[in-house]
Structures are given as C-alpha cells and as structure tokens.
Amino acid sequence: MEKLLITGGAGFIGSCFVQRWIEKQNIDLVNFDALTYAGHLASIGGVAENPRYTFIHADLRSAKDIEQAICEHRPSMILHLAAETHVDRSIEKPNDFISTNVMGTSILLEATLHYWRTLSASEQEGFRFLHISTDEVYGPVGRKRVVTEADAYAPTSPYAASKAAADHIARSYQQTYGLPVMIAHPTNNYGPRQFPEKLIPHFIFKILRGEDLPLYGDGMQERDWLFVEDHCCALETLLFEGLPGESYHLGSQIVRTNLEVAQQVCTQIDRQQTAHPGESKERITFVEDRPGHDHRYALDCGKMERLFGWRPTISFEEGIATTVQWYLKNPQWIETVCQEYQGNRIGLL
Ligand code: NAD
C-alpha cells in the first residue's frame, strides 16, 4: 500500500497540499508537524476526519519520533516542507533556523536512509524524498540575469543560508548513499491560510485592523509570485514523475515589485469590501529596509515545462482576488492563528 509522509503539513503550503491530496489522490497521507506558531490544525479543516489521513504531533528534531513515524507508517514517498520560514525571524533568532532547517532535515534524512535500506530493491527504486528548498538560496540576482538549476548558491539571510545548508545535506544523501532525493526551489508563494507575517497576508491583516501598510525600503524589491495551488500541483507532479538527483525550479514568471503587490492587494480589498472604497492605497507607508534585503530573485523555470508540461494556471490578479476574498471570509481563522501575533515589526538591528 502506497503512503505519503509529509512534514509541515499544517503550515501554509503544507495545508494546501494536504487538502488537495486527500481530495484528488487515492494514497494515504501522514502529516508530521510540530504545530509551531506557523502550523495550525485550523488550516487542515475537515481533512482531519478522513480515514486516509493521519496526524502526528511531533518535532522533526526528535530522532526517536521521526524514526517511529517512518517505521510505523512505512511511506513510499516523503515530502519535506517543515521549516522555520520567515526571514525577519531568522534575523532575530538565527539558531532556531539552524536547528530546525539544518539539524531537523539532517535527522529526517538519516531516519529515512535507515528505513530505505530495509526496503526491497523494487521498493527502493520507487521510493522518493522530495526536499523543498527556496529561490532564496541563490541570493540576489542582477538585472537581466536568471539562475538555472546548475547555478551556485550565494545565500545572504540566515533563513536562506539554513535552507542552502539543508539542500547540500539532502543532495549528499543522494550522491553518497543513493537515497532517491529530489530538490524543488519554489519562488514566493501566496494564497489562503498563510500566516499574516508574510507580505501579502500582512498587508491584508494591517488593512483589516485599520493600520498602515509597511513597505520595506523603497518597495522596489522584485519577486516572482506563485499561487500556492499551482505550486502544490507541481509538487504532485514531481512526486510521481521527478527524477532522483535532480533539482527543479518552480515559479510563475509573474514578477512584481513589493510596491505593485501592495497596490494590487489594496485594489482588491477596495473592490471586495466597499465600506471605505479607495482608502487602502493611502495607507501604504515606506519604512526602514530589512537588513541585507535581497533586491531581486529570478529563476529560469523552463525545466518543469520542458520535462513535465507543468506551468502555473492562475494569473496574479486572479490569485490576489482569491486570496483577499478568503481572508475577508475567514476572520475566525485569523483570530485563531494570531492569538500571540499583533503584526509588530521584528528583524531590525
Ligand atoms: P510555514 O512557516 O507556513 O509552515 C511551516 C510548517 O512547518 C508549520 O506547520 C510548522 O508547524 C512546521 N514545523 C516547523 N518546525 C518544525 C519542526 N521542528 N518539526 C516539525 N514541524 C515543524 O511554511 P510554508 O510557507 O508552508 O513553507 C513550507 C516550505 O516551503 C518551507 O520549507 C519553506 O522554506 C519553503 N518555501 C516557502 C515559500 C513561501 O513563499 N511560503 C517559498 C519558497 C520555499
């Protein structure tokens, strides 16, 4: 019986993936998550009652817990999403990122290797470990240049450095032991159920509280914006069709500056919430920049389309409209996940 073990399935991308998977695939899913401030069962919804779904509340950094989960459930694939993910938090507490992203990944790989060695030759061949990295491991990219999967890493933030270290360890398990590891590099994701510290839900959160929208620096930082459903579709493709030892860039080629993102969020909020039309854009304010803020990331994402015909389907305008609508309709979710979060600025020196 095939089974997928996912780490971090109660987070933003993980919860979207879990919901899609249970609806579309006939393969059981085990969600291993520590439920940090960024992981919430409220994001999983009705999936929790599905007999094909199992939740394990445990920490990746506990070798005992991860070994037990793997030995008991005997997955045929592992999707590794769990991580500390917010750059501003990594500036405040870098060691938390080394601990979860580097040590946690290393512990997971070691447990996976032990288990994989107990499988038959055909099970070993079919097994897949999909490790989720980020575009940030390449560091800032100069104008008119894009990076390919073959480019060298040059991370600048503690978050990106911890993800880069985890990638190197994951790749070494493929090269040294033959563990069938693949690495995905998604660009900036957005969509429903993202914790309101991240750019797009942060703007929505601030507007809903009647506060100003803080734009770091001049707001001209460029990012590629990938709707989370499109991303999860790509991850499914890789689990079934990806090749061990390969890396894959996952992006939309929809590039917007942070200022353009803020303006689009305001347009949608004003369109959908008619109480104070046209007011939101006046709330955009420029604040001190993030230390070491990368100006531009740019990935060449042609490999996914060439090999698997995957390409994103959601336009930026449609994705932002869907996202804004979701937050407007789910104040209860915001209240539940933000009990200890007031939207205060962190990550300044
Ligand atoms: P998130 O912060 O929303 O969720 C992280 C999840 O991991 C949470 O459910 C949390 O409880 C869990 N977790 C954290 N530490 C853990 C631990 N020690 N043990 C077990 N579980 C733990 O993150 P996300 O935005 O969904 O990102 C998922 C992955 O995708 C991460 O690896 C991230 O680096 C990568 N990524 C995200 C984006 C993005 O825009 N969101 C872009 C590129 C790459």
Side-chain angles (χ1 to χ4, degrees):
M1 180 68 184
E2 281 206 288
K3 213 177 243 193
L4 168 72
L5 187 142
I6 178 174
T7 69
F12 162 51
I13 297 169
S15 61
C16 175
F17 184 93
V18 166
Q19 302 210 19
R20 276 177 63 96
W21 184 269
I22 290 294
E23 193 189 315
K24 290 178 192 296
Q25 307 291 345
N26 199 19
I27 297 175
D28 288 5
L29 182 147
V30 178
N31 179 8
F32 185 103
D33 197 302
L35 300 181
T36 66
Y37 78 95
H40 296 272
L41 294 179
S43 301
I44 298 293
V47 166
E49 275 86 57
N50 193 298
R52 291 192 290 111
Y53 172 83
T54 306
F55 179 67
I56 299 174
H57 184 194
D59 196 304
L60 203 55
R61 293 164 295 178
S62 160
K64 187 174 140 281
D65 287 346
I66 195 74
E67 276 163 20
Q68 192 178 328
I70 292 176
C71 290
E72 188 179 323
H73 291 281
R74 306 190 58 75
S76 45
M77 354 174 171
I78 293 181
L79 171 59
H80 178 36
L81 285 158
E84 289 293 339
T85 61
H86 189 42
V87 176
D88 287 349
R89 285 183 194 257
S90 82
I91 296 168
E92 295 270 326
K93 293 190 168 180
N95 283 343
D96 289 355
F97 285 67
I98 304 301
S99 172
T100 285
N101 300 358
V102 185
M103 281 311 296
T105 299
S106 180
I107 288 165
L108 173 63
L109 284 162
E110 187 60 8
T112 305
L113 178 63
H114 279 294
Y115 160 71
W116 180 74
R117 283 177 161 162
T118 67
L119 300 178
S120 68
S122 67
E123 286 170 332
Q124 284 192 348
E125 205 182 322
F127 186 85
R128 292 289 180 272
F129 185 106
L130 178 53
H131 169 74
I132 307 306
S133 176
T134 166
D135 55 356
E136 303 194 27
V137 295
Y138 297 105
V141 178
R143 190 145 287 286
K144 294 195 182 152
R145 203 174 87 77
V146 289
V147 297
T148 71
E149 284 85 350
D151 269 82
Y153 287 8
T156 58
S157 72
Y159 163 65
S162 70
K163 294 292 290 183
D167 292 6
H168 290 313
I169 298 166
R171 190 172 292 113
S172 79
Y173 271 69
Q174 201 279 325
Q175 296 283 328
T176 306
Y177 307 109
L179 188 69
V181 173
M182 306 175 290
I183 301 180
H185 296 269
T187 58
N188 269 30
N189 275 226
Y190 69 103
R193 300 178 198 85
Q194 186 170 31
F195 192 78
E197 65 189 354
K198 302 283 169 62
L199 195 78
I200 289 174
H202 193 64
F203 290 154
I204 300 171
F205 179 81
K206 288 283 187 184
I207 294 175
L208 294 181
R209 287 164 65 106
E211 296 174 16
D212 285 346
L213 272 74
L215 262 186
Y216 291 0
D218 60 4
M220 288 295 122
Q221 304 86 358
E222 286 179 19
R223 300 291 184 264
D224 173 296
W225 290 95
L226 177 62
F227 192 64
V228 65
E229 289 268 354
D230 278 329
H231 180 204
C232 291
C233 171
L235 297 181
E236 284 167 18
T237 302
L238 288 179
L239 283 168
F240 293 117
E241 298 179 45
L243 288 180
E246 293 288 322
S247 294
Y248 301 96
H249 288 173
L250 310 177
S252 64
Q253 311 294 309
I254 298 171
V255 176
R256 295 285 185 279
T257 64
N258 287 352
L259 177 59
E260 288 168 333
V261 170
Q263 288 166 337
Q264 186 64 34
V265 168
C266 291
T267 301
Q268 278 305 327
I269 292 214
D270 288 345
R271 203 169 278 167
Q272 297 186 31
Q273 187 185 253
T274 48
H276 307 285
E279 260 190 13
S280 304
K281 277 191 189 130
E282 288 167 24
R283 293 190 176 279
I284 297 175
T285 46
F286 295 89
V287 298
E288 185 178 345
D289 207 352
R290 167 188 283 163
H293 204 174
D294 291 344
H295 185 72
R296 176 174 184 262
Y297 302 127
L299 300 187
D300 175 346
C301 298
K303 184 172 172 180
M304 279 298 288
E305 184 164 4
R306 276 194 310 278
L307 292 182
F308 310 120
W310 174 83
R311 71 158 86 136
T313 58
I314 311 285
S315 72
F316 189 62
E317 290 67 26
E318 191 185 350
I320 294 289
T322 305
T323 306
V324 165
Q325 186 182 50
W326 189 87
Y327 281 93
L328 291 180
K329 285 192 169 166
N330 290 279
Q332 188 60 50
W333 182 90
I334 300 177
E335 205 175 304
T336 305
V337 310
C338 291
Q339 279 167 15
E340 288 168 25
Y341 179 75
Q342 294 301 317
N344 297 330
R345 176 86 191 261
I346 57 165
L348 285 173
L349 302 180

